[in-house]
Amino acid sequence: MADLSIFDFLTRPHKRLIRHLTDHINGGNTTSRSHEWDYTDIRRVESWDLFSLETLRIRFGPLFDLRISRTSLLEVVPDNYLNIHSELQLEILLHMTRFTRVNIALQSINIHLSQTPHLLDAFDQISERQVISPGLQYVAGKPDLTFHLYADQSQLFPIAVGDIKLYAKWSCNRWKSSSLEDRMDFRQVLAQINYYMRKRRCRYAIAIT
């Protein structure tokens, strides 16, 4: 089989999933039983315009253009895993698909860097292999996702954390909604991942639907 660039490998379409919970929902996102965080923690929200595909291509283009063997390639997902009724099912599906591809790509990049001195010099800050893993239990809460160095299996020093939400319960377009409930829901999820960031002492977090 022909090789793919890492960029094409990561952006190759997945099988279409089936969403069973499609109605817009207010409320229902995670709350802190110990009242350690809530939506009022998020006092200001801004767009991060520099974090875009264009800027990533400029910065990491030589890595995106590296080739990856298709023999390691694309996941086979049974149809029953594509029927999404809950966040847990979505989390399992994403770990089987997107996050597995990212981990394969990161491993491939790490191999290329170790074998290509001029690339290693240019990208020494990412020369240690990184992975995405399900978050380990941590005190009262755990993130769905932890981005960490492969050697840090205990996830003590994550690079970033993240949480997975159903689109019916959360999306970016609630940020500037005319509905107060929508705006509260939007900030509630940001407060949740901000709490994970504080507990894990990391700078970045994501919410993904």
Side-chain angles (χ1 to χ4, degrees), residues 15-28:
K15 292 177 70 174
R16 186 179 297 275
L17 57 80
I18 301 169
R19 289 189 296 149
H20 290 275
L21 186 60
T22 57
D23 293 336
H24 185 100
I25 297 171
N26 283 120

Side-chain angles (χ1 to χ4, degrees), residues 61-165:
L63 300 184
F64 282 134
D65 293 335
L66 294 173
R67 312 302 291 182
I68 190 167
S69 173
R70 292 190 64 176
T71 58
S72 62
L73 216 219
L74 297 163
E75 64 282 338
V76 177
V77 180
D79 288 344
N80 59 305
Y81 281 93
L82 300 172
N83 284 276
I84 304 301
H85 295 267
S86 68
E87 285 179 2
L88 179 58
Q89 289 177 308
L90 180 58
E91 181 180 347
I92 292 170
L93 178 64
L94 289 173
H95 277 293
M96 292 174 66
T97 54
R98 290 185 183 220
F99 305 142
T100 293
R101 286 195 201 179
V102 172
N103 284 337
I104 290 172
L106 289 170
Q107 184 178 28
S108 179
I109 287 172
N110 187 254
I111 292 170
H112 280 293
L113 287 173
S114 67
Q115 297 173 348
T116 314
H118 74 277
L119 279 178
L120 184 59
D121 291 341
F123 296 101
D124 57 345
Q125 69 271 33
I126 58 170
S127 59
E128 293 187 79
R129 183 183 168 198
Q130 302 171 11
V131 293
I132 306 175
S133 302
L136 299 176
Q137 189 68 34
Y138 187 77
V139 192
K142 76 173 186 67
D144 293 333
L145 310 172
T146 304
F147 303 73
H148 59 97
L149 295 180
Y150 181 76
D152 180 23
Q153 293 294 327
S154 60
Q155 303 178 7
L156 293 177
F157 306 102
I159 301 159
V161 290
D163 207 71
I164 295 169
K165 298 295 180 187

